[in-house]
Amino acid sequence: MSKSFGSVAALESFDLELRAGSLMALLGPSGCGKTTALRIMAGFERPDAGEVWVAERRVAARRAWVAPEHRRIGMVFQDWALFPHLDVWHNVAFGLPKEHGERVREVLELVRLSGYDRRMPHELSGGQQQRVALARALAPSPQVILLDEPFSNLDASLRASVRAEVRAVLRAAKATAIFVTHDQEEALSIADELAVMCAGRILQVGAPHDVYRAPLSRQVAGLVGEANFLPGRVARERVSTPLGTMPARGVGDGAVQVMIRPETIHLEAGCIDDAVIVDTEFYGHDQVVRARLADGTAIDVRLLGPRPDLAIGSQVRVTLTEPPHFYPAPSGSSIRL
Ligand code: ATP
């Protein structure tokens, strides 16, 4: 599908399929078209070309159009959009026929807000308001739930627990859902499937673990997780890099980018000085150490636990615990090794 706003191409050859019962994260940098994609799925925006299907029903095409309220799609907005003048019960019941009190009770139980039905939105915590918004989206039993940056309004201390709760509720409801985020940790931690997009296109779709371990391109590697990129030159299945030469099985001769995840680098202080420690950042559960290689290239290394032997200025030996990934070098770049 494609969609432009004047001269801005928001979506180009955008193609995405959501597996029934799965929770997909749509991850991409700001302005890449995530919200536009969600708005087209919901029916708030028309695609210039392409189709939208919900289950077996075509809801948007050149000559077909189903209005948002008839698509059987539930939506959770970034600001949750609760009605401030309605209590929890009436927020959830909004849009349901009157006789559906039983369904309201059911979804409030699902989101663990059974005793809160008479509370007003301002009498709830951020996490509870989020659950009301989810209950309201689930109440009409939609075929798909769309969540637009659903956790961005929560402070960091609440976010992790609310994320886990939302996932548990969606699983219990056997809901098919897609949520938009630019937070890679969020996308990796709660999604069953991860779709990575950039500049209006889907770059890769897969299980979070697979996308992280085997990014199809340099761009995906940089968008999902942290990555070091080193210049390399391959000759006869060996690559020369600022870290020395190493095997490059199945990679054709020529210039490449070598991608190394920070947690796959091992540092050992002592006799061999491949690099010197130039900075350390301590995060409590782990730390990131920056080392400068002999040619001046800096690499980031993520290490678990305290390493008093790696003080700034220490000389270290650098080894890899996993083989790196190789991508074509950007055109126009020159590498001399
Ligand atoms: P963010 O993460 O910052 O919310 P996004 O990935 O959701 O960004 P979109 O909001 O979909 O990105 O926007 C994609 C592109 O389309 C941007 O360049 C944006 O400026 C443009 N755009 C979106 N909506 C409109 C509109 N109604 N009119 C004009 N341009 C628009």
Side-chain angles (χ1 to χ4, degrees):
M1 121 176 6
S2 63
K3 175 74 187 174
S4 295
F5 298 102
S7 60
V8 177
L11 298 178
E12 274 184 286
S13 311
F14 179 94
D15 198 7
L16 193 60
E17 195 170 332
L18 192 51
R19 211 159 20 92
S22 79
L23 173 59
M24 176 183 272
L26 185 56
L27 173 73
S30 180
C32 74
K34 305 180 295 293
T35 300
T36 303
L38 221 58
R39 287 175 58 78
I40 287 177
M41 294 177 212
F44 302 139
E45 210 77 70
R46 282 178 190 263
D48 297 337
E51 301 184 341
V52 180
W53 291 72
V54 177
E56 298 302 306
R57 196 157 66 118
R58 196 166 55 161
V59 295
R62 225 162 98 85
R63 288 208 183 78
W65 182 254
V66 176
E69 62 274 25
H70 297 127
R71 289 192 179 193
R72 299 204 53 201
I73 286 178
M75 186 96 196
V76 177
F77 297 94
Q78 195 166 8
D79 59 358
W80 312 321
L82 298 181
F83 300 111
H85 60 292
L86 296 181
D87 62 18
V88 167
W89 179 279
H90 289 94
N91 260 286
V92 176
F94 190 87
L96 285 182
K98 273 213 169 48
E99 66 276 16
H100 280 53
E102 190 48 44
R103 178 64 183 155
V104 177
R105 247 186 303 280
E106 210 174 276
V107 286
L108 283 178
E109 202 172 305
L110 189 69
V111 300
R112 297 189 300 104
L113 284 177
S114 290
Y116 291 74
D117 41 355
R118 296 287 160 241
R119 293 257 196 119
M120 300 303 282
H122 73 268
E123 296 171 320
L124 300 173
S125 71
Q128 289 165 340
Q129 290 184 43
Q130 167 70 284
R131 271 141 62 196
V132 176
L134 191 58
R136 187 176 61 185
L138 286 166
S141 305
Q143 261 157 337
V144 184
I145 304 231
L146 311 177
L147 304 103
D148 189 2
E149 301 261 4
F151 310 107
S152 58
N153 270 350
L154 298 167
D155 58 50
S157 59
L158 254 187
R159 212 173 293 153
S161 61
V162 174
R163 280 195 312 228
E165 265 175 8
V166 166
R167 179 169 69 165
V169 168
L170 291 171
R171 285 227 170 113
K174 296 191 172 61
T176 304
I178 178 163
F179 74 99
V180 151
T181 182
H182 58 257
D183 180 333
Q184 45 175 286
E185 182 191 306
E186 190 164 291
L188 287 167
S189 61
I190 70 163
D192 303 314
E193 284 185 287
L194 173 59
V196 185
M197 71 176 292
C198 193
R201 288 173 194 274
I202 295 288
L203 302 179
Q204 189 171 355
V205 182
H209 181 264
D210 295 340
V211 177
Y212 183 81
R213 296 300 294 265
L216 287 179
S217 62
R218 184 207 146 107
Q219 219 174 357
V220 173
L223 287 169
V224 181
E226 294 161 349
N228 293 294
F229 293 100
L230 299 181
R233 180 165 290 282
V234 178
R236 293 190 302 280
E237 301 206 330
R238 284 198 70 78
V239 61
S240 316
T241 77
L243 264 179
T245 57
M246 53 186 95
R249 249 164 246 122
V251 184
D253 288 359
V256 290
Q257 293 265 313
V258 183
M259 191 280 279
I260 304 170
R261 293 288 189 201
E263 69 278 15
T264 65
I265 302 175
H266 178 71
L267 298 181
E268 203 180 319
C271 42
I272 303 175
D273 53 344
D274 292 332
V276 58
I277 305 294
V278 291
D279 200 7
T280 61
E281 284 174 13
F282 183 59
Y283 294 106
H285 43 73
D286 62 4
Q287 59 182 320
V288 172
V289 170
R290 174 159 294 183
R292 196 168 298 288
L293 304 177
D295 75 330
T297 312
I299 53 167
D300 285 343
V301 185
R302 195 169 276 278
L303 301 164
L304 283 174
R307 289 288 301 269
D309 55 326
L310 299 180
I312 291 176
S314 308
Q315 306 279 346
V316 287
R317 178 179 184 198
V318 182
T319 47
L320 302 186
T321 56
E322 281 180 29
H325 290 265
F326 301 100
Y327 302 110
S331 53
S333 65
S334 87
I335 298 172
R336 261 163 275 167
L337 293 165

